[in-house]
Each structure stands twice: as structure tokens, then as C-alpha cells.
Amino acid sequence: MGALSLLRYTLDLFEPFGAVAPVDAAPTAPKKVANPLPSQPFVAGQPLHNAIAPVNYAHPKATREVRLEGAVVAYAFARGKRRTIGFVVGPDGLSVRAPRWTPLGEVDAALQEKSGWILRKLDETRERQTRQEHAQVAWQEGAVIPYLGQSIRIALDGGHGFAAKGAQLDAAAQDDGVTTLRIALSHTATEAQIRDAVQAWLMRQAKANFVARLDHYAPQLQVRWAKMSLSNAGTRWGSAKSDGSIRLNWRLIHFRQAVIDYVVAHELSHLRVMDHSPRFWDTVRSVVPDYAELRGSLKDPAIPKW
């Protein structure tokens, strides 16, 4: 290759590259087929459980915190004289107790092992509290409350235009399916007065209902009850003593009759079997075959707090 040829070849390497043939320019801009690039800076991908805000459960007396399957659980932790690690999920959240000698690493491992059960119970507790909050009653004209599994509406009647003492339930429901409970109070009555009047009526209905159902089931179970009293316990629906005394929570009157019947049969069955052995449940089943389903209804009561 001569000197001129070498120079020409070298210059060609630095010249701009051109098309072999001229190309016609497009007459119009191409139609936009994609959204413009976002104005925010690019963020690298991250695991889904980091991108989604975790669910939080916090005990008011929490001293430790753990992440279980994407949920952050702050729990109350205590040590005591016990042999195993114990977990309790209550209205406040998760409580954990462990033996004095158990390393915290074992506690964390036990929490991870029980994570499914813990989160399920925490979810159930939160949902139950939400339903109970929605079930709270504003004690005033038009308030609706559950009674024997149905809804009744409060109406104030200062003129006491009905025959019963204190309050009376209409014989038929309104067009919307809700029956009116007429209370002998004026429209100037306070929330406390309305609440007390409704509670007094409900307790009278509860007493009459419970006595009738005790009389119905006692012969079938071949037992005799001696005394029935109403209770106002927060979480216990009934109790029975060997002397024939029965206590039933008056708030059962909010539930449908089948649920009340289960509790009545349950307590009467204790007059034959004072424990919860298989023989006891066989006794309950003899008069309430679907007791298990009815029993479950009591675990999630969306009824007013009194």
C-alpha cells in the first residue's frame, strides 16, 4: 500500500458514516405509543414484603417486638416459674411468658414456629373488636339493637301509649323488617335513662325466656334446677352448681333462641356431669345435636357492650 493510499485509509476512519442512499424524512411525527418517562428518579426493585407496609399489632404493655410473616408484633414479655414458653392472645394483643432460664433466641424461635397461630388469633381479635365497635349503640330515638337474633328499634313514648310497664315491643315489624320497642320516656330523656330503661326491659325478657327454656330442657335431661339468677359477667355466659343453682348472663337475650337453648342445655347438663368430659358433651348432644355450631356463635358476639 502506497503512502497516499495509507493516508486515505486513515482519514476514512475519522470521517462521519453516511447512508448509502438518501432517505426521505417522515412527513409527520410518529404517533405516541408509550407514556413519557416518570419525573421521579429510578428506584431499584425491592422484595414485595418490603414494598408493602407491614401490619402492626402492639400490646399496650409491650416490651419486645418481632416480625412474623411480614407483620410487626409488639408483645408483652415476662419471665416466671414455668417449664415452657406460653403464648396468650387477648383483647390487648400478644403476651408471652417464658422460664427464667430460657434464652431470648429460643423465645424468638418459638414465636416463628407459632407465627401462623399467633397471627390468626390477632386477626380474629382485631376483627372482633371492630365488629363490637360498630355494634355500639347511641342511646337515642331510632337506635337499633339486637334482640333474639333480630333487630328492634327504640321509640320514645312520653305519653305511655301502651299497656305494659316501662316498655313494650310491637306485635308486628315495620316495612323494613325491624320491630319497634316503645319506651315510656319523653324525647328529653338522657342517654343514660334510655339505656337503663332498655336494659331493664331486656332483663325482664331474659328472665322469662330462661325460666321457660330451663323448664323445657330439664325433664329431657332428667335433672331438676332449683334456682335461676341473672348474671352480668363480661365473658362467662352461664354457670351451674351441684345444688341446682343456675346463673345465666342476661345479655344472651341478644342472640337467637337456638343459641340461648344451647347455653341453657349446657348448664343443665352440668347437673348430671360437673366437668367437660366426653360424657358431658354427649349429654349436651342428646338434646342439642348441633351444639358445636351454636357454641361457636358465642365466641364472636357482635352485641352491644353494657
Side-chain angles (χ1 to χ4, degrees):
M1 181 181 295
L4 288 175
S5 299
L6 179 61
L7 178 61
R8 179 69 264 170
Y9 174 76
T10 303
L11 291 174
D12 287 343
L13 294 176
F14 292 94
E15 289 180 356
F17 177 79
V20 176
V23 178
D24 293 336
T28 58
K31 186 177 181 180
K32 189 180 297 182
V33 295
N35 292 327
L37 292 175
S39 58
Q40 298 298 321
F42 172 76
V43 177
Q46 55 183 322
L48 185 61
H49 67 271
N50 290 333
I52 299 175
V55 180
N56 288 280
Y57 302 95
H59 194 290
K61 296 182 179 180
T63 54
R64 299 199 77 223
E65 185 177 280
V66 65
R67 187 160 189 148
L68 303 177
E69 301 179 14
V72 177
V73 180
Y75 61 94
F77 179 70
R79 295 185 181 275
K81 294 181 179 180
R82 53 180 300 127
R83 296 182 178 180
T84 59
I85 300 171
F87 308 95
V88 175
V89 176
D92 288 332
L94 174 64
S95 299
V96 181
R97 291 183 62 84
R100 301 182 188 280
W101 47 265
T102 304
L104 291 177
E106 289 189 20
V107 175
D108 291 338
L111 284 165
Q112 295 297 333
E113 182 180 352
K114 290 283 188 179
S115 60
W117 178 86
I118 292 170
L119 293 177
R120 185 174 69 255
K121 290 299 182 182
L122 288 171
D123 283 341
E124 291 173 357
T125 300
R126 179 170 287 183
E127 290 173 3
R128 185 181 303 113
Q129 290 173 336
T130 299
R131 283 191 289 273
Q132 288 177 341
E133 289 173 2
H134 291 164
Q136 294 311 295
V137 179
W139 297 103
Q140 58 190 12
E141 172 83 15
V144 176
I145 62 172
Y147 170 69
L148 291 177
Q150 303 295 322
S151 295
I152 60 176
R153 181 181 291 114
I154 297 170
L156 302 181
D157 186 348
H160 201 156
F162 49 86
K165 177 182 178 181
Q168 179 173 293
L169 188 67
D170 283 358
Q174 301 294 322
D175 292 341
D176 59 359
V178 180
T179 307
T180 299
L181 175 64
R182 305 190 183 279
I183 306 295
L185 290 173
S186 70
H187 286 79
T188 60
T190 65
E191 289 192 8
Q193 289 173 324
I194 298 171
R195 178 181 182 274
D196 290 347
V198 173
Q199 181 176 345
W201 181 82
L202 288 171
M203 292 180 76
R204 289 195 297 272
Q205 306 312 304
K207 184 176 182 180
N209 186 295
F210 299 166
V211 168
R213 304 316 287 168
L214 286 167
D215 286 341
H216 174 77
Y217 282 107
Q220 297 181 44
L221 291 166
Q222 299 179 3
V223 296
R224 294 182 63 183
W225 63 278
K227 174 185 175 184
M228 193 282 294
S229 57
L230 299 179
S231 82
N232 192 33
T235 58
R236 193 170 187 177
W237 296 113
S239 63
K241 293 183 178 180
S242 57
D243 63 1
S245 299
I246 304 287
R247 286 177 61 83
L248 295 169
N249 195 313
W250 71 266
R251 294 182 298 120
L252 284 167
I253 201 66
H254 289 301
F255 292 92
R256 55 195 171 100
Q257 189 64 57
V259 177
I260 297 174
D261 285 354
Y262 156 67
V263 178
V264 169
H266 181 117
E267 301 310 332
L268 286 173
S269 296
H270 276 310
L271 301 184
R272 288 182 57 181
V273 185
M274 291 303 293
D275 55 30
H276 287 104
S277 63
R279 189 165 70 93
F280 167 80
W281 293 114
D282 287 342
T283 304
V284 176
R285 186 183 295 108
S286 69
V287 290
V288 184
D290 56 344
Y291 78 87
E293 177 188 352
L294 298 170
R295 183 186 182 197
S297 300
L298 292 167
K299 295 181 180 180
D300 189 23
I303 62 175
K305 287 186 176 180
W306 291 85

